[in-house]
Structures are given as structure tokens and as C-alpha cells.
Amino acid sequence: MNGNMKTWRFGVDNNRLVDLVLQGKKTATTSIYEENSISKAGEESILLYENGQAACITKTIKVIVTEFKNITKELAELEGEGDFEEWKTAHIEFFQLIKPDFNENTKVEFEIFKVIKILKR
């Protein structure tokens, strides 16, 4: 395994979301856009459990940078987190904790990924 591989966790409810990824129900994630931290298609990284245990290796398939309001129901469904309106509300509330002025016009990074190797269940 590449020792230089980037590791990552979800910002909230990490272990539950990792389980959704391992079950194949979650194949995307949304984060606040930051110019120098953008993922690139083809990039591989290690998704971690809260305790630091490696869960799986993911490969970025596609990255969409757009305003939050442009994330469609179809894209949000890739996150595997249920109802679209609940998804939107939960994400806005979470992003406002990080960036108080976050709103529908704030740029986000929507990353579609796939699991290429499960390391631990």
C-alpha cells in the first residue's frame, strides 16, 4: 500500500457513513469547496473509521464544483443518506457550523468515488 496515500473521514457521523460506503450504499460526499484541497479524478485515498482504523481504499471517479443549490436529487441520492430534503437540511446545518455564512450559493465540492479495496469491516 502506498504510504503517501491521503487519508480522510466524514465530517459528521463518520462510522455510520463508513458503514454505508462499505455496504455500497454511499458513493459520494459533499464538502465545502476549498481551492487547494480539491480531490482529483483517479486519486486513491484511505477512508478511516473514527478510531483511525483503515476501512477501505477509495478512488475518486468525478469531482463537481458548483454552488450548493445546484446539487440535484440524483446526485444527493449517491450519498445514500435518505430523503433529499433531509439531506439538504442536514448538510446546510453542518456546513454552517464550519462556515457560519454558508448558504445555497456557497460553492461545494461533490465527489463521486468507488471502493476499490475493503481493508476492514
Side-chain angles (χ1 to χ4, degrees):
M1 197 170 7
N2 181 347
N4 303 340
M5 210 180 282
K6 186 173 80 176
T7 60
W8 62 288
R9 292 179 173 93
F10 294 105
V12 67
D13 218 1
N14 185 68
N15 287 352
R16 185 179 72 82
L17 298 179
V18 169
D19 287 340
L20 288 175
V21 169
L22 295 179
Q23 293 162 22
K25 294 178 181 167
K26 181 171 179 64
T27 58
T29 189
T30 308
S31 51
I32 297 173
Y33 172 71
E34 290 173 42
E35 212 162 300
N36 49 6
S37 73
I38 191 157
S39 300
K40 293 167 189 64
E43 199 171 73
E44 294 179 5
S45 55
I46 301 169
L47 178 57
L48 302 175
Y49 280 107
E50 206 52 56
N51 66 6
Q53 170 78 51
C56 61
I57 298 175
T58 60
K59 183 175 190 169
T60 302
I61 304 301
K62 184 176 186 179
V63 177
I64 300 165
V65 174
T66 188
E67 290 156 0
F68 184 77
K69 66 184 177 193
N70 297 330
I71 301 296
T72 62
K73 184 176 191 290
E74 291 69 30
L75 286 175
E77 282 173 357
L78 297 176
E79 289 217 36
E81 295 175 48
D83 178 77
F84 183 53
E85 290 307 316
E86 286 174 23
W87 174 89
K88 268 177 93 161
T89 302
H91 278 73
I92 289 171
E93 286 173 3
F94 174 68
F95 290 151
Q96 284 175 341
L97 292 175
I98 300 167
K99 185 177 177 165
D101 61 349
F102 182 90
N103 62 59
E104 294 257 337
N105 296 312
T106 305
K107 268 191 176 176
V108 293
E109 177 182 335
F110 187 85
E111 180 182 339
I112 301 170
F113 58 85
K114 71 176 181 182
V115 172
I116 55 173
K117 184 175 185 186
I118 292 177
L119 302 171
K120 176 97 171 105
R121 280 193 186 272

